[in-house]
Amino acid sequence: MMRYSLPRLVGHALRDRPWPRAWRKATPRSHYDVVIVGGGGHGLATAYYLAANHGVRRVAVLERSYIGSGNVGRNTTLVRSNYMMNGSTQFFEFSLKLWEGLSQALNFNVMLSQRGQIVLGHSPAQMDGLARRGNTMLLNGIEAELLDRGQVQRLLPYLDYSPAARFPIAGGLLQRRAGTVRHDAVAWGYARAADSLGVDILEGCEVSGFLLDAGGVHGVQTSRGRILADRVALAVAGHSSQLAALAGLRLPIESHLLQAFVTEPIKPFVDHVISFGAELFYLSQSDKGGLVFGGHIDGFNSFTQRGQFPKAQGVAQCALALIPGMSRLKLLRHWAGIQDMTPDGGPFICRTPVRNLYFNGGWCYQGFKATPAVGWCLADTIARDEEHPLVRCYGLERFAQGGASLDEYGHGHWTYRH
Amino acid sequence: MLRIHCPLCGERPYTEFRYGGDAGKHRPVHGAGGIEAWHDHLFLFENAKGPHREFWQHVQGCRQWLIAVRDTATNIVADVALARDARGLEPQGPGER
Ligand SMILES: Cc1cc2nc3c(=O)[nH]c(=O)nc-3n(C[C@H](O)[C@H](O)[C@H](O)COP(=O)(O)OP(=O)(O)OC[C@H]3O[C@@H](n4cnc5c(N)ncnc54)[C@H](O)[C@@H]3O)c2cc1C
Ligand SMILES: [Zn+2]
């Protein structure tokens, strides 16, 4: 791999030559140690850490479309580690720590911007909840600052503090290390780094079946032929149920649409990531100047990748309740991604009842910020054939065992009410 | 926008309805069946990519529960019936033990 550096940049500016491809166009081999299905952020990160941390070199990532076509290129790019449920708190903090060193590790600028995230509270009860969340973080060694109304107003002067505000702002919880990451760069950076360690990235390669026998899985059927593998891992985001069904598994997952929205570009004025406390709504400003925001899933399971219009109205109402000054902004684009939703809102990273088949999915809203930790822990789980300690809370059996405790909102077993 | 043809009120936008999930699921009979039957009923989903039988309640119309067949890959609704006609009088479904 050609290392990126300042001298290289200058050298290339002087010579009139295109940059080399960031990763090879590989052709499938007949056999691999590990085949990973799905070339999103999770699959690519897993391949990279398998090679980098465990020395597993004969690894292939099978992507039915092109790299970056899935949710890794569709999300709103927020990263943070202010989760309250035990298990998730530690997992997401581990992920944030990996983000902090990722550009160096990959020799690729993923543009981590630790601009700070503020979760707003609108009532004394909500402030109590935020204090509890902040204390949980502090107990886990994660910095958190509880802000009163005046402190929020100094940081976010453009919110609605008028007496007419529909949801008066009582305060907020600030995590300074939270922020955004350039999502495409994450896919490209992991792909390039994995490729340089010998991982084959096979685009346009759709998995349509598994080669199964009494000993478990020993390969996959693809649109580019049969590929044998000692171990197979699934990281297909919104299509987990479809792939698992090919291996005879039913999952606690339904697929739903989540939409994202971006306005026309304007001068920088939102310096942080803001989460509304009165609804599920979050907003940040991109480097190009567009305000990027999102809200709830559409509310019924679907694979169409086309969102429903009333959601655009819903998020616009949230935006105006929060920042009245946005009322004249035009919406530039909106799009949807297919997302696994689980009964408790938590994901899965685990072995499966099928030997040598490993599963990562059920990522609901929070899979992008988890990307480095997913890769690290799934690679470890595959290499050792045992769940990494940080993901023991993310097993498929947790509902059967009772006491599933990852549910940050307490919605019960419905996937579509999250 | 997704529109659903209510057998009583006609074609209406989906925002008038409350979604009720997979209608192919059958609740285990109380007392019968082990904890596994309840686990599967509550927590496992077919999650079909294609035709999906599902409940909708016309909360801002006639308030009837309906069963629609919607293709989840296209959102095209092929068929809608009153849930009590489509399901209420059925003998116990295959999932009921
Ligand atoms: C609108 C939106 C906003 C979001 N915002 C955030 C956010 O702010 N913060 C956050 O943490 N998370 C966010 N998420 C969630 C996050 O994007 C996902 O959880 C995460 O990207 C999923 O992992 P991935 O990158 O591997 O998925 P993907 O990029 O979707 O990768 C899965 C890949 O599998 C491939 N595939 C599927 N079936 C097959 C097959 N049969 N054979 C081969 N390949 C197959 C797909 O083509 C796809 O490329 C958001 C999601 C959406 C949709
Ligand atoms: Zn009606």
Side-chain angles (χ1 to χ4, degrees):
Chain A
M1 174 178 79
M2 187 185 84
R3 278 192 72 78
Y4 294 150
S5 63
L6 186 61
R8 284 254 191 250
L9 189 67
V10 174
H12 261 274
L14 298 177
R15 260 171 291 150
D16 186 20
R17 253 205 279 149
W19 289 86
R21 291 187 71 90
W23 62 87
R24 293 168 292 133
K25 264 210 177 325
T27 39
R29 295 195 226 178
S30 58
H31 179 266
Y32 289 93
D33 297 336
V34 179
V35 155
I36 296 164
V37 188
H42 292 185
L44 294 164
T46 305
Y48 169 72
Y49 291 116
L50 271 171
N53 293 356
H54 302 280
V56 186
R57 291 295 158 98
R58 297 197 307 166
V59 178
V61 177
L62 276 42
E63 167 54 49
R64 72 168 171 194
S65 181
Y66 60 91
I67 295 302
S69 59
N71 290 349
V72 69
R74 292 169 185 268
N75 64 78
T76 40
T77 78
L78 309 185
V79 301
R80 57 186 174 91
S81 64
N82 53 5
Y83 286 78
M84 197 180 71
M85 304 308 283
N86 201 32
S88 288
T89 316
Q90 299 82 1
F91 178 84
F92 285 101
E93 173 60 10
F94 179 66
S95 203
L96 189 53
K97 289 213 173 96
L98 289 176
W99 283 121
E100 289 172 333
L102 198 63
S103 293
Q104 293 302 326
L106 300 181
N107 179 232
F108 199 99
N109 188 0
V110 298
M111 298 170 77
L112 168 68
S113 160
Q114 293 180 292
R115 56 186 70 179
Q117 186 220 14
I118 297 171
V119 185
L120 295 170
H122 305 273
S123 66
Q126 249 187 335
M127 290 309 296
D128 287 348
L130 291 179
R132 181 174 172 219
R133 206 208 285 194
N135 286 336
T136 306
M137 292 165 66
L138 292 173
L139 286 171
N140 282 282
I142 307 166
E143 61 65 59
E145 288 168 52
L146 199 63
L147 308 176
D148 62 23
R149 180 179 160 95
Q151 289 168 306
V152 173
Q153 191 160 7
R154 271 192 295 283
L155 291 173
L156 314 175
Y158 44 80
L159 301 187
D160 190 354
Y161 299 96
S162 71
R166 174 69 182 83
F167 298 101
I169 288 156
L173 184 67
L174 167 64
Q175 183 181 24
R176 288 190 193 272
R177 287 165 58 236
T180 62
V181 178
R182 171 80 201 276
H183 50 1
D184 305 305
V186 174
W188 300 333
Y190 272 121
R192 172 171 168 272
D195 172 89
S196 78
L197 296 175
V199 171
D200 282 352
I201 295 169
L202 303 169
E203 296 174 78
C205 184
E206 176 162 9
V207 171
S208 55
F210 296 99
L211 308 177
L212 297 163
D213 61 21
V217 68
H218 57 91
V220 288
Q221 204 66 256
T222 80
S223 54
R224 295 175 71 175
R226 268 163 76 122
I227 299 176
L228 301 179
D230 297 343
R231 294 177 181 185
V232 177
L234 300 184
V236 291
H239 284 84
S240 296
S241 301
Q242 277 61 44
L243 268 290
L246 296 174
L249 302 174
R250 278 175 82 206
L251 301 176
I253 287 178
E254 254 183 346
S255 301
H256 289 259
L257 294 189
L258 182 65
Q259 301 192 56
F261 305 83
V262 62
T263 67
E264 58 188 327
I266 50 168
K267 287 196 173 166
F269 84 106
V270 178
D271 302 326
H272 304 82
V273 176
I274 307 169
S275 290
F276 199 18
E279 243 299 8
L280 179 56
F281 175 78
Y282 42 93
L283 177 138
S284 65
Q285 188 165 18
S286 78
D287 295 334
K288 280 189 276 187
L291 297 180
V292 182
F293 48 90
H296 280 282
I297 51 174
D298 271 12
F300 53 90
N301 45 317
S302 178
F303 293 85
T304 54
Q305 241 171 201
R306 276 193 308 272
Q308 296 293 322
F309 182 67
K311 283 288 151 187
Q313 291 176 308
V315 289
Q317 282 163 348
C318 288
L320 294 195
L322 202 55
I323 309 177
M326 281 176 66
S327 67
R328 293 286 158 180
L329 281 183
K330 291 189 183 67
L331 204 59
L332 200 62
R333 291 185 295 130
H334 66 122
W335 61 91
I338 309 168
Q339 183 167 272
D340 289 352
M341 293 299 294
T342 66
D344 65 355
F348 305 104
I349 303 178
C350 53
R351 290 172 290 177
T352 69
V354 179
R355 258 205 75 58
N356 299 325
L357 183 66
Y358 302 83
F359 179 53
N360 161 67
W363 273 100
C364 305
Y365 293 93
Q366 67 273 50
F368 178 67
K369 66 183 71 63
T371 303
V374 167
W376 187 286
C377 295
L378 180 59
D380 192 88
T381 301
I382 298 167
R384 294 179 208 280
D385 194 30
E386 187 185 7
E387 283 76 11
H388 185 281
L390 274 175
V391 300
R392 291 208 181 119
C393 55
Y394 295 150
L396 275 168
E397 70 296 330
R398 66 176 180 263
F399 301 105
Q401 289 170 347
S405 63
L406 293 163
D407 195 339
E408 298 259 341
Y409 300 100
H411 286 292
H413 65 273
W414 289 277
T415 58
Y416 54 89
R417 291 199 183 160
H418 284 274
Chain B
M1 190 187 333
L2 176 65
R3 294 169 74 84
I4 297 169
H5 192 103
C6 173
L8 303 179
C9 313
E11 192 177 90
R12 310 295 306 161
Y14 86 100
T15 44
E16 288 188 5
F17 298 80
R18 179 217 314 259
Y19 185 53
D22 188 348
K25 283 187 163 200
H26 291 260
R27 178 195 251 268
V29 174
H30 264 291
I35 194 76
E36 269 158 53
W38 282 99
H39 168 268
D40 294 359
H41 173 68
L42 285 173
F43 295 118
L44 299 187
F45 301 89
E46 283 313 321
N47 195 15
K49 184 173 184 175
H52 188 245
R53 287 186 79 217
E54 60 196 24
F55 288 116
W56 290 88
Q57 187 191 10
H58 197 184
V59 280
Q60 288 174 31
C62 58
R63 298 201 59 84
Q64 295 299 304
W65 278 99
L66 312 174
I67 290 181
V69 181
R70 176 178 58 96
D71 189 323
T72 60
T74 60
N75 275 352
I76 292 171
V77 181
D79 186 39
V80 190
L82 292 174
R84 59 167 183 262
D85 295 343
R87 175 137 174 207
L89 302 175
E90 277 174 13
Q92 297 212 328
E96 285 168 334
R97 278 169 252 176

